[in-house]
Amino acid sequence: MVLLPYALSSLHSDTLSQIQKHLAENQPVFPDALATIDFLDLVRYSDWLSAIAAIEASLSGGSTIDRIATVVMQEGADPRGLLAVVASPAAEAVTRTLAQRGQTAAAQQKLALLSLEVPNDVAMARMIREAQDIIGRRPP
């Protein structure tokens, strides 16, 4: 999600709260089976997470990237959310945050568990390996 720097700051906090509530009530869901990974689901989730994290950061004064990293690493979070973020434009910043928090190994483990769900899907297994490699790179 690309936002002009002033876009959210130009909105009243009541408006942001209403948008936040709407987004929270309409979180995209992945199919029940972890083995079902659709590229459009990944894009949809990444856009949703970027939007809600930006709004939450604007309301709280926090960081959008910190919020994204927190959401994808929550206990019980769908690992496809992490995959979506690593495949997004925010990947470098999020992986840097994960490294700063000491969560690189945990993020790679989340994706390793996801790869067990798609043992016969060569394309998906490759995508997951690439995501693990991106997470493992030393941040600049």
Side-chain angles (χ1 to χ4, degrees):
M1 175 179 201
V2 178
L3 296 171
L4 298 173
Y6 59 86
L8 292 178
S9 63
S10 67
L11 296 175
H12 190 276
S13 62
D14 289 341
T15 302
L16 287 174
S17 293
Q18 290 174 2
I19 295 169
Q20 178 187 32
K21 182 178 183 239
H22 174 76
L23 288 171
E25 292 170 351
N26 292 285
Q27 177 178 344
V29 293
F30 292 105
D32 287 337
L34 277 177
T36 306
I37 302 173
D38 181 90
F39 183 73
L40 291 177
D41 289 336
L42 297 177
V43 171
R44 188 177 303 114
Y45 183 84
S46 175
D47 285 349
W48 170 84
L49 182 54
S50 294
I52 200 161
I55 290 169
E56 289 174 1
S58 181
L59 288 170
S60 70
S63 161
T64 299
I65 297 301
D66 283 342
R67 184 68 188 132
I68 290 171
T70 297
V71 169
V72 297
M73 292 305 294
Q74 287 175 339
E75 188 172 329
D78 192 312
R80 293 171 290 188
L82 176 59
L83 184 62
V85 169
V86 174
S88 79
E92 185 177 321
V94 172
T95 57
R96 186 179 313 112
T97 297
L98 293 175
Q100 290 167 349
R101 293 179 178 180
Q103 293 181 305
T104 298
Q108 290 176 316
Q109 182 61 28
K110 265 185 182 271
L111 294 178
L113 293 173
L114 179 60
S115 70
L116 296 176
E117 297 292 328
V118 292
N120 299 321
D121 189 333
V122 175
M124 219 23 66
R126 192 174 101 218
M127 184 177 182
I128 292 168
R129 274 193 312 276
E130 288 175 8
Q132 288 174 304
D133 289 345
I134 289 169
I135 291 169
R137 288 185 196 142
R138 302 278 294 144

